Amino acid sequence: MEDVLTLNRRFGAPGRIAFREGPGGVPIAALVAPQGTCEVSLLGGQVLSYRVLGFQDALWLSPLAEFAEGKAIRGGVPVCWPWFGKAPQGFPEGTPAHGFARKAFWRVAGSEYGARDTALTLELTEKDATHPAWPHRYRLTLTVTLGDCLTLDLQTRNLDDHPFVYGEALHTYLRVGDARKVQLFGVRSEPIAFPDEQTLDEVISLPEPVAALQDPVMGRVLGLAADDAAGVVVWHPVLEHSFADVPLEGPRRFVCVEPANPHHIGGEITLAPGRAHTLTLRLQPTLIQESPSEKVTP
């Protein structure tokens, strides 16, 4: 992994792209565009924050998050790949949940900026990270574009001489003022609420997901849209749920709405040799005065 000085020399741009050492010495990239800022960790290829001028951070990052190779960072937008949730049937006992991409160090493949956009591209291959349950050659590319909205493009390319099957999700932790008071529109005919007393964990078939999270406490609507996703995962733990890296009141400060291609709903992807598939997420905050039904597509 290149050090911060080298990364700034090769990929930095004054006032637009800068690398620094974060917790545990993990390199973190800060992106700046006219509309706002975001930060990306090279550990996990993970967006940690997204701030638009006039709004608080759209993403929640646990103050107890661990930054160490082999650990998953709690919050932001973890990349779940090449499977989401528990490993699919047929994988060895003890195979870790959510794959291995979110616990590996990614390489910087490029950066660019223009009048309105700033972008960073990260890359992961089997030379960087793999698992005995995943004997395939691949190239995983994440392009983070900060512009009128935040766009994440996660591309999987099969570099092997045989097809492989994989699943994925962009496990988005959305920051909220109080989870008990927010409502999620667009995923079902009725809005979804997030009470303290029960865990919500649903994988919903919803081709080309579009959703809006209305937050009266923070006075905003977080609009999400996805391309080439089979569905959306909605997850929120009960307040009493015990996580070593989540404060006691933490679950009241986030809800997860995740575009995904998971095996749970038959959304896993079969990729032929040489072919590629891209899962895209777009996220944008707007003022709550705008109706969620009118402002759900970033």
Side-chain angles (χ1 to χ4, degrees), residues 58-72:
L59 300 174
W60 180 83
L61 178 66
S62 173
L64 304 179
E66 297 183 70
F67 287 77
E69 187 170 14
K71 298 284 188 179

Side-chain angles (χ1 to χ4, degrees), residues 15-72:
R16 300 299 292 272
I17 306 168
F19 295 84
R20 63 177 175 84
E21 281 195 5
V26 171
I28 292 176
L31 278 60
V32 178
Q35 302 86 346
T37 64
C38 75
E39 290 193 331
V40 186
S41 168
L42 269 59
L43 174 60
Q46 189 160 329
V47 176
L48 302 177
S49 71
Y50 168 45
R51 295 182 177 90
V52 172
L53 295 176
F55 292 91
Q56 295 186 48
D57 204 321
L59 300 174
W60 180 83
L61 178 66
S62 173
L64 304 179
E66 297 183 70
F67 287 77
E69 187 170 14
K71 298 284 188 179

Side-chain angles (χ1 to χ4, degrees), residues 61-98:
L61 178 66
S62 173
L64 304 179
E66 297 183 70
F67 287 77
E69 187 170 14
K71 298 284 188 179
I73 301 171
R74 177 74 67 180
V77 189
V79 176
C80 301
W81 189 96
W83 55 85
F84 169 77
K86 294 181 180 179
Q89 187 175 4
F91 279 51
E93 188 72 25
T95 300
H98 294 320

Side-chain angles (χ1 to χ4, degrees), residues 25-234:
V26 171
I28 292 176
L31 278 60
V32 178
Q35 302 86 346
T37 64
C38 75
E39 290 193 331
V40 186
S41 168
L42 269 59
L43 174 60
Q46 189 160 329
V47 176
L48 302 177
S49 71
Y50 168 45
R51 295 182 177 90
V52 172
L53 295 176
F55 292 91
Q56 295 186 48
D57 204 321
L59 300 174
W60 180 83
L61 178 66
S62 173
L64 304 179
E66 297 183 70
F67 287 77
E69 187 170 14
K71 298 284 188 179
I73 301 171
R74 177 74 67 180
V77 189
V79 176
C80 301
W81 189 96
W83 55 85
F84 169 77
K86 294 181 180 179
Q89 187 175 4
F91 279 51
E93 188 72 25
T95 300
H98 294 320
F100 50 82
R102 66 183 183 139
K103 298 181 180 180
F105 277 101
W106 295 51
R107 290 177 289 105
V108 179
S111 63
E112 59 181 339
Y113 65 94
R116 297 188 61 81
D117 300 307
T118 304
L120 179 72
T121 299
L122 305 180
E123 188 175 270
L124 196 70
T125 72
E126 77 282 351
K127 296 178 182 178
D128 306 303
T130 190
H131 188 274
W134 183 256
H136 309 295
R137 295 173 56 232
Y138 70 92
R139 179 182 295 118
L140 190 60
T141 304
L142 178 70
T143 300
V144 179
T145 304
L146 177 65
D148 292 332
C149 63
L150 178 69
T151 303
L152 278 64
D153 292 302
L154 181 66
Q155 183 190 81
T156 302
R157 183 172 294 277
N158 184 350
L159 300 182
D160 230 322
D161 57 4
H162 57 268
F164 60 64
V165 180
Y166 73 96
E168 62 187 346
L170 293 169
H171 195 329
T172 311
Y173 285 77
L174 299 174
R175 179 185 294 272
V176 299
D178 187 334
R180 297 168 297 178
K181 298 180 181 181
V182 302
Q183 290 185 302
L184 180 65
F185 294 83
V187 174
R188 290 184 171 168
S189 57
E190 297 294 328
I192 294 176
F194 301 86
D196 272 349
E197 59 272 10
Q198 65 183 58
T199 291
L200 183 63
D201 189 3
E202 298 188 39
V203 184
I204 303 166
S205 179
L206 188 70
E208 310 304 318
V210 177
L213 187 71
Q214 183 172 339
D215 186 343
V217 175
M218 300 190 80
R220 69 184 183 187
V221 175
L222 293 177
L224 299 96
D227 298 331
D228 292 313
V232 62
V233 179
V234 181

